[in-house]
Structures are given as C-alpha cells and as structure tokens.
Amino acid sequence: DTEVTQTPKHLVMGMTNKKSLKCEQHMGHRAMYWYKQKAKKPPELMFVYSYEKLSINESVPSRFSPECPNSSLLNLHLHALQPEDSALYLCASSLTGGYGANVLTFGAGSRLTVL
Amino acid sequence: GQQLNQSPQSMFIQEGEDVSMNCTSSSIFNTWLWYKQDPGEGPVLLIALYKAGELTSNGRLTAQFGITRKDSFLNISASIPSDVGIYFCAGQTGANSKLTFGKGITLSVRP
C-alpha cells in the first residue's frame, strides 16, 4: 500500500462549526504532516508529527488542532474557522531519520470551504 | 529563510515538444525534488536527486542536480496532454530539514 488517504474530499463548514479532517497511511512511515495550500500556490507546512509526537508547529492558529492517535492516523480538528482558512489541506507522510527521509508522499487533499 | 525561484509562472507548449524548467536558489541544497500536481490532487513525486551533478531519468522526464548545489533542472521530452499540471521543485538543506517549495510552474500542452 503506497497511498495516503484523506477524508473527506470536500468539506463546507460555517464559522461556528467543529469538524475534523482525517488522514491514514499504511506504509510504515513514522512522520506525518499537515500542509495548507491556496490556489496556484505551493503547499505551506502547518504541523509535523514524528513517532506520534508533535515536532513542528509552524505558528498555526489554535483554531487548528492536530492529533496523531497512532502511527497510521493523523487528524486535524477545526473550530471557529475564518473564511480565509478556505484552502486545500494536504496530509503527507515520510520515513523518519537518515538520508532522504523527508521525501514526502502526499494524499489527494481535503478541499475546505468556510462560509 | 531559504527560497527557491521558479519562473516563468506559466508555460505553454505544443504536444510533442520538449520543455525545460529550472529551479534556482541563493542557498546550497543537499536534496532536490520535483513534484507534479494535477488539479484537485496532491503533489506526486517525480524525481529525487541527492548528489551534485546527478542526472536521473523517469520515463520521458530527466532531472539534474546542479554542480553548484544551488539549482536543478527538469526536462520533459515529447510532451503529451497528460503532462498538464503544476510542477514544483522542492529542496532540503539537510536530511531532517524542512522541505522548501518553489512557487511552481503551470504547464499547458496544446494538442
């Protein structure tokens, strides 16, 4: 299995809603990532989990809350988002440690629209 | 921080033509990666380069790691309509450093 699976593919939510994005991989990768991507722009790193521990938070607002329940799963909990948070949210995974460890495998993304 | 420069923002070519795109930086990178992103999908790794001067092919794609370690090139030969998409270069200064992405080049292929 060489895939990163993200659900849902599309999500529309109001500014007062609470929702979650989910990501799953079964490649034995021990690092997992959340990226945010606006149209025609490169992905921007949000969070990195390494061995199920949060290792990088790129100063992301607290209305985004990541969770890594186990080495195969990564969630992104969303609460009180703003319309400018509308974007494609990409999950990625990679092997950890050593040469070439950060070659990322991306999921297809969750397209989020905040009304 | 490190920046990767990709230009132009868009390229338009005829089906069957070859196309070359490059990625430059003022910083030294130890790893260069080329990703392609189709509309509505995540980026997919095309080629990874780990050594200065390295030339690697993947089908019709060829990429090179520049000798100065400050640039990389991607060539696509005999383009076909499914080559349409956004091509991102990405680089790392070390094995565990954050991946830096270029702004991407949108490639259009006219049949």
Side-chain angles (χ1 to χ4, degrees):
Chain A
D1 188 351
T2 57
E3 284 189 343
V4 174
T5 304
Q6 289 189 244
T7 55
K9 192 140 176 82
H10 300 277
L11 178 63
V12 179
M13 60 187 290
M15 290 191 284
T16 57
N17 292 156
K18 282 186 185 181
K19 297 283 185 185
S20 297
L21 305 180
K22 298 185 183 300
C23 175
E24 192 167 359
Q25 58 87 15
H26 296 287
M27 295 179 281
H29 289 176
R30 301 310 299 267
M32 296 187 78
Y33 308 73
W34 281 114
Y35 279 82
K36 174 183 177 181
Q37 186 179 30
K38 291 281 202 179
K40 305 276 188 179
K41 300 289 185 188
E44 296 173 26
L45 184 64
M46 299 174 72
F47 303 103
V48 181
Y49 273 83
S50 181
Y51 290 90
E52 298 154 50
K53 287 187 174 16
L54 183 65
S55 59
I56 295 177
N57 176 343
E58 290 283 297
S59 302
V60 178
S62 60
R63 57 186 184 268
F64 295 91
S65 174
E67 179 197 18
C68 188
N70 60 56
S71 59
S72 299
L73 294 175
L74 185 67
N75 299 321
L76 186 63
H77 302 299
L78 314 170
H79 174 53
L81 294 194
Q82 304 296 312
E84 59 264 28
D85 296 322
S86 299
L88 183 68
Y89 288 84
L90 293 163
C91 174
S93 68
S94 73
L95 295 169
T96 57
Y99 187 67
N102 281 358
V103 171
L104 303 181
T105 300
F106 284 90
S110 293
R111 171 76 57 193
L112 174 67
T113 302
V114 182
L115 300 177
Chain B
Q2 296 100 8
Q3 281 191 316
L4 293 179
N5 303 308
Q6 285 186 269
S7 65
Q9 190 174 358
S10 302
M11 299 180 80
F12 300 85
I13 60 172
Q14 200 73 33
E15 184 177 356
E17 287 182 342
D18 300 346
V19 62
S20 182
M21 47 188 84
N22 68 351
C23 185
T24 62
S25 173
S26 57
S27 304
I28 287 175
F29 284 80
N30 290 337
T31 301
W32 288 91
L33 307 166
W34 285 91
Y35 284 88
K36 182 194 177 206
Q37 187 171 22
D38 291 334
E41 299 292 329
V44 173
L45 182 69
L46 299 175
I47 293 179
L49 302 160
Y50 300 110
K51 209 159 98 170
E54 181 180 354
L55 185 72
T56 298
S57 293
N58 177 7
R60 295 177 296 106
L61 276 59
T62 302
Q64 184 159 28
F65 191 138
I67 289 288
T68 64
R69 297 201 286 159
K70 292 183 178 181
D71 58 9
S72 178
F73 301 85
L74 175 71
N75 295 313
I76 304 173
S77 63
S79 59
I80 58 178
S82 61
D83 290 332
V84 164
I86 304 177
Y87 290 80
F88 291 103
C89 64
Q92 292 176 297
T93 55
N96 292 310
S97 65
K98 189 174 84 171
L99 198 58
T100 300
F101 281 88
K103 291 188 175 178
I105 293 176
T106 300
L107 180 66
S108 300
V109 179
R110 287 187 287 258

